Amino acid sequence: MRIQELTEYLDTYLRAGEFHDYAPNGLQVEGTREVKHIVLGVSASLGLIDEAARRGADVVLVHHGWFWKGESPRIAGVKGCRIRHLMQSGMHLVGYHLPLDAHETVGNNAELARVLGLTIESRHGEYGLLHVGEIISGAMLAADFAQRVNAALGRAPLLVGDAQ
């Protein structure tokens, strides 16, 4: 598959054109490879890029890509190192930020709700990014919900306020 076919599909599926985002959505750095293997990650870190290259990926698809509004446009330091490694590998970098936060099926919020056993009953705010719902199994103490988060995500959440 050509990278243009992949990004056209993802742009449509994630409705990328509906979002005015902090970073470009879709293809951020064009590589030289045909698309056969994709590695997914949260952020386009040097570690992810190097691991993707080690695994023979053609595309690195991330939630937090590069070229954020307000950041220095200089390609130097850490940014220069990441871009150099990516381009030397021939891999493409594709990123979707708000489209992945908002998507009702494969979005970060939808997946987190599924993993934590929550229903999403309504969406509010710009792009519907605020999801409101309920715990499927019924009401529970905040401390019990924090344990559920810890078990599901492998890290303890910061619980503020009364745990009872």
Side-chain angles (χ1 to χ4, degrees):
M1 169 185 284
R2 295 178 316 117
I3 189 65
Q4 292 77 12
E5 294 173 282
L6 175 64
T7 54
E8 285 172 9
Y9 171 79
L10 290 171
D11 286 351
T12 300
Y13 182 72
L14 297 172
R15 300 183 317 273
E18 297 176 17
F19 297 87
H20 301 286
D21 214 331
Y22 312 102
N25 287 302
L27 182 63
Q28 293 187 354
V29 177
E30 185 175 27
T32 57
R33 299 179 179 196
E34 182 180 347
V35 177
K36 294 180 183 172
H37 298 93
I38 302 172
V39 166
L40 307 174
V42 174
S43 298
S45 66
L46 182 58
L48 177 63
I49 292 162
D50 287 345
E51 182 63 18
R54 189 183 73 72
R55 292 177 177 262
D58 306 304
V59 177
V60 178
L61 174 59
V62 295
H63 177 56
H64 297 134
W66 298 336
F67 312 112
W68 295 86
K69 289 181 186 172
E71 79 174 2
S72 172
R74 292 179 184 88
I75 298 177
V78 172
K79 182 194 270 183
C81 186
R82 290 185 305 205
I83 291 172
R84 209 169 17 262
H85 280 237
L86 181 79
M87 295 191 80
Q88 287 171 346
S89 75
M91 292 184 296
H92 307 274
L93 176 66
V94 177
Y96 291 94
H97 182 238
L98 292 181
L100 276 176
D101 285 329
H103 197 275
E104 60 278 348
T105 307
V106 298
N108 303 324
N109 291 327
E111 181 62 12
L112 184 60
R114 186 192 66 75
V115 166
L116 295 178
L118 308 172
T119 63
I120 297 174
E121 297 178 351
S122 61
R123 297 165 43 143
H124 305 275
E126 188 174 19
Y127 306 121
L129 294 174
L130 173 63
H131 292 60
V132 177
E134 291 186 8
I135 300 170
I136 293 170
S137 60
M140 64 174 47
L141 296 174
D144 294 334
F145 187 70
Q147 287 179 345
R148 180 184 287 191
V149 170
N150 189 5
L153 304 181
R155 72 179 293 221
L158 173 63
L159 181 58
V160 178
D162 186 7
Q164 304 302 317

PDB file of all heavy atoms in Angstrom, residues 1 3 6 33-40 52-61 90-92:
ATOM      1  N   MET A   1       0.848  -1.181   0.000  1.00  0.00           N
ATOM      2  CA  MET A   1       0.000   0.000   0.000  1.00  0.00           C
ATOM      3  C   MET A   1       0.891   1.240   0.000  1.00  0.00           C
ATOM      4  O   MET A   1       1.923   1.256   0.649  1.00  0.00           O
ATOM      5  CB  MET A   1      -0.900  -0.036   1.249  1.00  0.00           C
ATOM      6  CG  MET A   1      -1.647   1.253   1.512  1.00  0.00           C
ATOM      7  SD  MET A   1      -2.606   1.253   3.058  1.00  0.00           S
ATOM      8  CE  MET A   1      -3.984   0.265   2.594  1.00  0.00           C
ATOM      9  N   ILE A   3       1.652   5.175   1.030  1.00  0.00           N
ATOM     10  CA  ILE A   3       1.364   5.977   2.219  1.00  0.00           C
ATOM     11  C   ILE A   3       0.156   6.885   1.983  1.00  0.00           C
ATOM     12  O   ILE A   3      -0.639   7.116   2.894  1.00  0.00           O
ATOM     13  CB  ILE A   3       2.610   6.780   2.675  1.00  0.00           C
ATOM     14  CG1 ILE A   3       2.358   7.446   4.042  1.00  0.00           C
ATOM     15  CG2 ILE A   3       2.990   7.840   1.632  1.00  0.00           C
ATOM     16  CD1 ILE A   3       2.156   6.486   5.182  1.00  0.00           C
ATOM     17  N   LEU A   6      -3.038   4.982   2.744  1.00  0.00           N
ATOM     18  CA  LEU A   6      -3.245   4.825   4.178  1.00  0.00           C
ATOM     19  C   LEU A   6      -3.744   6.119   4.806  1.00  0.00           C
ATOM     20  O   LEU A   6      -4.725   6.117   5.553  1.00  0.00           O
ATOM     21  CB  LEU A   6      -1.947   4.383   4.865  1.00  0.00           C
ATOM     22  CG  LEU A   6      -2.009   4.301   6.395  1.00  0.00           C
ATOM     23  CD1 LEU A   6      -3.006   3.232   6.847  1.00  0.00           C
ATOM     24  CD2 LEU A   6      -0.625   4.048   6.972  1.00  0.00           C
ATOM     25  N   ARG A  33       9.293   4.233   2.096  1.00  0.00           N
ATOM     26  CA  ARG A  33       8.884   2.830   2.037  1.00  0.00           C
ATOM     27  C   ARG A  33       7.428   2.648   1.621  1.00  0.00           C
ATOM     28  O   ARG A  33       6.573   3.484   1.890  1.00  0.00           O
ATOM     29  CB  ARG A  33       9.044   2.192   3.410  1.00  0.00           C
ATOM     30  CG  ARG A  33      10.451   2.192   3.922  1.00  0.00           C
ATOM     31  CD  ARG A  33      10.476   1.567   5.287  1.00  0.00           C
ATOM     32  NE  ARG A  33      11.822   1.513   5.816  1.00  0.00           N
ATOM     33  CZ  ARG A  33      12.177   0.773   6.829  1.00  0.00           C
ATOM     34  NH1 ARG A  33      11.291  -0.001   7.426  1.00  0.00           N
ATOM     35  NH2 ARG A  33      13.408   0.780   7.257  1.00  0.00           N
ATOM     36  N   GLU A  34       7.164   1.521   1.000  1.00  0.00           N
ATOM     37  CA  GLU A  34       5.794   1.070   0.797  1.00  0.00           C
ATOM     38  C   GLU A  34       5.285   0.610   2.164  1.00  0.00           C
ATOM     39  O   GLU A  34       6.055   0.130   2.994  1.00  0.00           O
ATOM     40  CB  GLU A  34       5.770  -0.099  -0.194  1.00  0.00           C
ATOM     41  CG  GLU A  34       4.390  -0.610  -0.496  1.00  0.00           C
ATOM     42  CD  GLU A  34       4.397  -1.778  -1.475  1.00  0.00           C
ATOM     43  OE1 GLU A  34       5.439  -2.037  -2.103  1.00  0.00           O
ATOM     44  OE2 GLU A  34       3.348  -2.415  -1.597  1.00  0.00           O
ATOM     45  N   VAL A  35       3.996   0.753   2.399  1.00  0.00           N
ATOM     46  CA  VAL A  35       3.434   0.420   3.712  1.00  0.00           C
ATOM     47  C   VAL A  35       3.072  -1.053   3.782  1.00  0.00           C
ATOM     48  O   VAL A  35       2.179  -1.524   3.073  1.00  0.00           O
ATOM     49  CB  VAL A  35       2.188   1.287   4.009  1.00  0.00           C
ATOM     50  CG1 VAL A  35       1.571   0.888   5.339  1.00  0.00           C
ATOM     51  CG2 VAL A  35       2.540   2.772   3.973  1.00  0.00           C
ATOM     52  N   LYS A  36       3.797  -1.760   4.644  1.00  0.00           N
ATOM     53  CA  LYS A  36       3.507  -3.164   4.920  1.00  0.00           C
ATOM     54  C   LYS A  36       3.378  -3.409   6.418  1.00  0.00           C
ATOM     55  O   LYS A  36       2.589  -4.234   6.838  1.00  0.00           O
ATOM     56  CB  LYS A  36       4.607  -4.065   4.341  1.00  0.00           C
ATOM     57  CG  LYS A  36       4.676  -4.040   2.826  1.00  0.00           C
ATOM     58  CD  LYS A  36       5.783  -4.940   2.317  1.00  0.00           C
ATOM     59  CE  LYS A  36       5.874  -4.851   0.804  1.00  0.00           C
ATOM     60  NZ  LYS A  36       7.042  -5.561   0.288  1.00  0.00           N
ATOM     61  N   HIS A  37       4.174  -2.704   7.210  1.00  0.00           N
ATOM     62  CA  HIS A  37       4.178  -2.888   8.662  1.00  0.00           C
ATOM     63  C   HIS A  37       4.045  -1.526   9.346  1.00  0.00           C
ATOM     64  O   HIS A  37       4.776  -0.597   9.023  1.00  0.00           O
ATOM     65  CB  HIS A  37       5.475  -3.560   9.121  1.00  0.00           C
ATOM     66  CG  HIS A  37       5.662  -4.923   8.553  1.00  0.00           C
ATOM     67  ND1 HIS A  37       6.359  -5.152   7.402  1.00  0.00           N
ATOM     68  CD2 HIS A  37       5.211  -6.127   8.967  1.00  0.00           C
ATOM     69  CE1 HIS A  37       6.348  -6.442   7.130  1.00  0.00           C
ATOM     70  NE2 HIS A  37       5.658  -7.060   8.057  1.00  0.00           N
ATOM     71  N   ILE A  38       3.128  -1.458  10.312  1.00  0.00           N
ATOM     72  CA  ILE A  38       2.865  -0.226  11.051  1.00  0.00           C
ATOM     73  C   ILE A  38       3.112  -0.483  12.528  1.00  0.00           C
ATOM     74  O   ILE A  38       2.657  -1.485  13.073  1.00  0.00           O
ATOM     75  CB  ILE A  38       1.405   0.244  10.848  1.00  0.00           C
ATOM     76  CG1 ILE A  38       1.118   0.470   9.362  1.00  0.00           C
ATOM     77  CG2 ILE A  38       1.130   1.513  11.657  1.00  0.00           C
ATOM     78  CD1 ILE A  38      -0.340   0.750   9.055  1.00  0.00           C
ATOM     79  N   VAL A  39       3.828   0.438  13.167  1.00  0.00           N
ATOM     80  CA  VAL A  39       4.007   0.402  14.613  1.00  0.00           C
ATOM     81  C   VAL A  39       3.217   1.561  15.193  1.00  0.00           C
ATOM     82  O   VAL A  39       3.280   2.686  14.677  1.00  0.00           O
ATOM     83  CB  VAL A  39       5.495   0.499  15.002  1.00  0.00           C
ATOM     84  CG1 VAL A  39       5.664   0.807  16.481  1.00  0.00           C
ATOM     85  CG2 VAL A  39       6.212  -0.798  14.662  1.00  0.00           C
ATOM     86  N   LEU A  40       2.450   1.291  16.253  1.00  0.00           N
ATOM     87  CA  LEU A  40       1.625   2.302  16.903  1.00  0.00           C
ATOM     88  C   LEU A  40       2.259   2.727  18.214  1.00  0.00           C
ATOM     89  O   LEU A  40       2.836   1.909  18.914  1.00  0.00           O
ATOM     90  CB  LEU A  40       0.225   1.748  17.194  1.00  0.00           C
ATOM     91  CG  LEU A  40      -0.523   1.129  16.028  1.00  0.00           C
ATOM     92  CD1 LEU A  40      -1.818   0.497  16.517  1.00  0.00           C
ATOM     93  CD2 LEU A  40      -0.799   2.169  14.976  1.00  0.00           C
ATOM     94  N   ALA A  52      10.648   0.913  16.365  1.00  0.00           N
ATOM     95  CA  ALA A  52       9.913   0.670  15.122  1.00  0.00           C
ATOM     96  C   ALA A  52      10.878   0.274  14.005  1.00  0.00           C
ATOM     97  O   ALA A  52      10.608  -0.654  13.240  1.00  0.00           O
ATOM     98  CB  ALA A  52       9.113   1.911  14.734  1.00  0.00           C
ATOM     99  N   ALA A  53      12.005   0.960  13.921  1.00  0.00           N
ATOM    100  CA  ALA A  53      13.008   0.622  12.901  1.00  0.00           C
ATOM    101  C   ALA A  53      13.551  -0.782  13.144  1.00  0.00           C
ATOM    102  O   ALA A  53      13.707  -1.566  12.204  1.00  0.00           O
ATOM    103  CB  ALA A  53      14.137   1.651  12.921  1.00  0.00           C
ATOM    104  N   ARG A  54      13.814  -1.119  14.399  1.00  0.00           N
ATOM    105  CA  ARG A  54      14.332  -2.447  14.737  1.00  0.00           C
ATOM    106  C   ARG A  54      13.343  -3.536  14.330  1.00  0.00           C
ATOM    107  O   ARG A  54      13.727  -4.609  13.893  1.00  0.00           O
ATOM    108  CB  ARG A  54      14.611  -2.529  16.239  1.00  0.00           C
ATOM    109  CG  ARG A  54      15.343  -3.790  16.662  1.00  0.00           C
ATOM    110  CD  ARG A  54      15.536  -3.876  18.166  1.00  0.00           C
ATOM    111  NE  ARG A  54      14.307  -4.183  18.888  1.00  0.00           N
ATOM    112  CZ  ARG A  54      13.699  -5.363  18.889  1.00  0.00           C
ATOM    113  NH1 ARG A  54      14.175  -6.359  18.167  1.00  0.00           N
ATOM    114  NH2 ARG A  54      12.596  -5.554  19.588  1.00  0.00           N
ATOM    115  N   ARG A  55      12.052  -3.229  14.428  1.00  0.00           N
ATOM    116  CA  ARG A  55      11.013  -4.202  14.084  1.00  0.00           C
ATOM    117  C   ARG A  55      10.659  -4.193  12.594  1.00  0.00           C
ATOM    118  O   ARG A  55       9.761  -4.911  12.167  1.00  0.00           O
ATOM    119  CB  ARG A  55       9.765  -3.942  14.919  1.00  0.00           C
ATOM    120  CG  ARG A  55       9.960  -4.242  16.382  1.00  0.00           C
ATOM    121  CD  ARG A  55       8.714  -3.896  17.185  1.00  0.00           C
ATOM    122  NE  ARG A  55       8.886  -4.240  18.567  1.00  0.00           N
ATOM    123  CZ  ARG A  55       8.439  -5.365  19.121  1.00  0.00           C
ATOM    124  NH1 ARG A  55       7.785  -6.251  18.387  1.00  0.00           N
ATOM    125  NH2 ARG A  55       8.620  -5.611  20.398  1.00  0.00           N
ATOM    126  N   GLY A  56      11.311  -3.359  11.815  1.00  0.00           N
ATOM    127  CA  GLY A  56      11.072  -3.337  10.384  1.00  0.00           C
ATOM    128  C   GLY A  56       9.818  -2.598   9.967  1.00  0.00           C
ATOM    129  O   GLY A  56       9.238  -2.887   8.916  1.00  0.00           O
ATOM    130  N   ALA A  57       9.378  -1.632  10.772  1.00  0.00           N
ATOM    131  CA  ALA A  57       8.172  -0.873  10.448  1.00  0.00           C
ATOM    132  C   ALA A  57       8.406   0.041   9.253  1.00  0.00           C
ATOM    133  O   ALA A  57       9.524   0.486   8.996  1.00  0.00           O
ATOM    134  CB  ALA A  57       7.730  -0.038  11.649  1.00  0.00           C
ATOM    135  N   ASP A  58       7.341   0.298   8.554  1.00  0.00           N
ATOM    136  CA  ASP A  58       7.362   1.254   7.444  1.00  0.00           C
ATOM    137  C   ASP A  58       6.707   2.559   7.848  1.00  0.00           C
ATOM    138  O   ASP A  58       6.985   3.612   7.280  1.00  0.00           O
ATOM    139  CB  ASP A  58       6.615   0.670   6.237  1.00  0.00           C
ATOM    140  CG  ASP A  58       7.154  -0.698   5.859  1.00  0.00           C
ATOM    141  OD1 ASP A  58       8.366  -0.800   5.606  1.00  0.00           O
ATOM    142  OD2 ASP A  58       6.372  -1.664   5.870  1.00  0.00           O
ATOM    143  N   VAL A  59       5.790   2.468   8.821  1.00  0.00           N
ATOM    144  CA  VAL A  59       5.048   3.629   9.310  1.00  0.00           C
ATOM    145  C   VAL A  59       5.051   3.615  10.824  1.00  0.00           C
ATOM    146  O   VAL A  59       4.849   2.575  11.448  1.00  0.00           O
ATOM    147  CB  VAL A  59       3.573   3.613   8.826  1.00  0.00           C
ATOM    148  CG1 VAL A  59       2.780   4.774   9.400  1.00  0.00           C
ATOM    149  CG2 VAL A  59       3.510   3.617   7.306  1.00  0.00           C
ATOM    150  N   VAL A  60       5.272   4.793  11.411  1.00  0.00           N
ATOM    151  CA  VAL A  60       5.069   5.000  12.840  1.00  0.00           C
ATOM    152  C   VAL A  60       3.809   5.850  12.947  1.00  0.00           C
ATOM    153  O   VAL A  60       3.766   6.981  12.448  1.00  0.00           O
ATOM    154  CB  VAL A  60       6.275   5.699  13.492  1.00  0.00           C
ATOM    155  CG1 VAL A  60       6.017   5.941  14.974  1.00  0.00           C
ATOM    156  CG2 VAL A  60       7.550   4.882  13.294  1.00  0.00           C
ATOM    157  N   LEU A  61       2.771   5.291  13.553  1.00  0.00           N
ATOM    158  CA  LEU A  61       1.478   5.963  13.697  1.00  0.00           C
ATOM    159  C   LEU A  61       1.296   6.312  15.168  1.00  0.00           C
ATOM    160  O   LEU A  61       1.297   5.421  16.021  1.00  0.00           O
ATOM    161  CB  LEU A  61       0.346   5.050  13.214  1.00  0.00           C
ATOM    162  CG  LEU A  61      -1.084   5.528  13.412  1.00  0.00           C
ATOM    163  CD1 LEU A  61      -1.342   6.854  12.718  1.00  0.00           C
ATOM    164  CD2 LEU A  61      -2.065   4.475  12.921  1.00  0.00           C
ATOM    165  N   GLY A  90      13.868   5.611   6.601  1.00  0.00           N
ATOM    166  CA  GLY A  90      12.933   5.552   5.485  1.00  0.00           C
ATOM    167  C   GLY A  90      11.480   5.415   5.908  1.00  0.00           C
ATOM    168  O   GLY A  90      10.582   5.333   5.069  1.00  0.00           O
ATOM    169  N   MET A  91      11.228   5.398   7.229  1.00  0.00           N
ATOM    170  CA  MET A  91       9.850   5.255   7.718  1.00  0.00           C
ATOM    171  C   MET A  91       9.078   6.563   7.566  1.00  0.00           C
ATOM    172  O   MET A  91       9.661   7.643   7.518  1.00  0.00           O
ATOM    173  CB  MET A  91       9.848   4.851   9.201  1.00  0.00           C
ATOM    174  CG  MET A  91      10.376   3.470   9.459  1.00  0.00           C
ATOM    175  SD  MET A  91      10.250   2.987  11.210  1.00  0.00           S
ATOM    176  CE  MET A  91      11.339   4.161  12.012  1.00  0.00           C
ATOM    177  N   HIS A  92       7.755   6.434   7.513  1.00  0.00           N
ATOM    178  CA  HIS A  92       6.837   7.570   7.500  1.00  0.00           C
ATOM    179  C   HIS A  92       6.380   7.828   8.935  1.00  0.00           C
ATOM    180  O   HIS A  92       6.252   6.882   9.722  1.00  0.00           O
ATOM    181  CB  HIS A  92       5.578   7.258   6.681  1.00  0.00           C
ATOM    182  CG  HIS A  92       5.854   6.759   5.299  1.00  0.00           C
ATOM    183  ND1 HIS A  92       6.050   7.597   4.227  1.00  0.00           N
ATOM    184  CD2 HIS A  92       5.953   5.488   4.816  1.00  0.00           C
ATOM    185  CE1 HIS A  92       6.245   6.863   3.138  1.00  0.00           C
ATOM    186  NE2 HIS A  92       6.196   5.586   3.470  1.00  0.00           N
TER     187      HIS A  92
END
